[in-house]
Amino acid sequence: MAKSLRVPKLDLSAILASQNPQIDLRLEAYEVSTRNFLKAVSSYTQRALTEITNRKNGHLTDRKRLVEKLQHIEAETNQCKIREIELIKILDREREERKEAEASVSSFRRQLASIKEKCVVLDGEVEQHRIIAANLRRERSRERALLDSHAAQVAPELADCERWLQCHIEGIDKDKILIRFLRLDAADSTREFSLVVDVSNRSYKVPTTTPFLPTLPILLDELNETRDIYTFFKQVRQSFVEVVQQGR
């Protein structure tokens, strides 16, 4: 730092009393002081300008950083808004799907309740059918036992009938009896003489005979009037014998 210049006090009366009065203005010191002052001012100005420039650059840098940060924040904000919109859409869709799912669940629950009610009804019907089936099986067992008992009683009579009438009797289809007469044609022991009697109704019917019997309608009418099946078999056998004797 430049030293300050102290100017001595002037003795104006002594100066004026001299033959050649002069005042030493000390111009060199003044110039040195002025130069030092200007140099100090210049240095201060330069430092000030440098400081201003530095502060300006720092301000610009901070401003640029803040602008970039603001842009980054705005970009993130926009992304968040877009994501928010997408999430709202997803939530709306999930809300609709949930409503549909709840509606479907309610519908399935109603259907399940209805099915359970039907199952209860069907279980009751099945149980009733089981009881009916069990009763029918017991009834069938009783009927079969009764039929077996009747068959055991009728079997000897059937055997006697077949032996006396020289025929073979068997059931065919439903409610039909096939009667085969044996050894009617001495010339041809393999010749068939048979008829089928339909006993499904109270009025007996004869669908087929082998060979054809012209007197069958009359014999069948007598059978339906008398209900005597044994006499009918005898008459049919005699009619077949007459057919053989007539050479038919």
Side-chain angles (χ1 to χ4, degrees):
M1 183 178 179
K3 294 180 180 180
S4 62
L5 179 61
R6 290 182 178 273
V7 180
K9 294 181 179 181
L10 295 176
D11 187 359
L12 185 58
S13 61
I15 292 172
L16 293 175
S18 66
Q19 295 180 352
N20 189 15
Q22 293 180 354
I23 298 175
D24 189 5
L25 296 178
R26 299 181 182 273
L27 295 176
E28 292 181 0
Y30 175 75
E31 290 178 356
V32 171
S33 177
T34 300
R35 285 195 297 268
N36 291 334
F37 175 75
L38 292 176
K39 185 177 180 181
V41 171
S42 178
S43 177
Y44 173 79
T45 303
Q46 187 65 35
R47 288 196 305 271
L49 292 174
T50 302
E51 181 66 22
I52 291 172
T53 301
N54 292 336
R55 290 186 179 182
K56 179 181 180 182
N57 293 333
H59 176 71
L60 292 175
T61 301
D62 292 341
R63 182 178 179 183
K64 183 179 180 180
R65 185 172 63 253
L66 291 175
V67 170
E68 291 177 352
K69 186 175 181 180
L70 179 61
Q71 291 176 350
H72 181 69
I73 293 173
E74 289 180 351
E76 289 184 348
T77 303
N78 292 332
Q79 290 294 328
C80 290
K81 289 181 178 179
I82 293 173
R83 292 179 182 176
E84 181 182 5
I85 294 172
E86 293 177 353
L87 288 175
I88 291 174
K89 291 181 180 179
I90 293 173
L91 290 175
D92 291 339
R93 184 169 63 252
E94 290 180 351
R95 191 178 297 109
E96 292 297 328
E97 292 176 354
R98 181 178 179 181
K99 289 182 180 178
E100 293 177 358
E102 290 176 351
S104 299
V105 169
S106 299
S107 177
F108 287 141
R109 285 178 178 174
R110 290 192 297 271
Q111 293 178 5
L112 180 60
S114 177
I115 291 173
K116 286 182 178 179
E117 292 178 357
K118 291 180 180 179
C119 288
V120 172
V121 175
L122 291 175
D123 289 340
E125 293 180 356
V126 168
E127 186 63 26
Q128 291 180 357
H129 287 305
R130 286 178 179 174
I131 295 172
I132 293 172
N135 293 334
L136 289 175
R137 282 194 293 270
R138 287 193 295 270
E139 185 67 23
R140 181 173 295 178
S141 297
R142 288 194 295 269
E143 290 179 354
R144 182 173 296 174
L146 182 61
L147 290 175
D148 291 340
S149 176
H150 288 322
Q153 296 175 2
V154 172
E157 296 180 3
L158 178 61
D160 291 341
C161 179
E162 290 179 345
R163 184 176 64 256
W164 285 104
L165 297 177
Q166 294 185 354
C167 67
H168 179 71
I169 302 173
E170 62 178 317
I172 59 172
D173 295 335
K174 182 180 180 181
D175 298 328
K176 291 182 180 179
I177 301 174
L178 172 64
I179 301 97
R180 291 192 181 95
F181 294 94
L182 308 175
R183 298 184 294 276
L184 293 184
D185 190 350
D188 186 1
S189 60
T190 62
R191 186 177 178 183
E192 182 178 355
F193 296 89
S194 64
L195 78 159
V196 176
V197 181
D198 185 352
V199 295
S200 59
N201 296 317
R202 179 171 178 77
S203 178
Y204 296 134
K205 297 179 182 179
V206 178
T208 60
T209 62
T210 303
F212 173 73
L213 285 179
T215 59
L216 180 61
I218 298 174
L219 300 177
L220 192 59
D221 289 340
E222 292 179 358
L223 171 63
N224 288 323
E225 289 179 2
T226 61
R227 316 297 297 178
D228 188 350
I229 191 70
Y230 297 109
T231 301
F232 173 74
F233 287 164
K234 291 179 181 179
Q235 291 175 344
V236 169
R237 177 180 176 81
Q238 183 60 35
S239 297
F240 282 138
V241 170
E242 293 175 357
V243 169
V244 172
Q245 290 175 353
Q246 294 174 3
R248 295 181 181 178

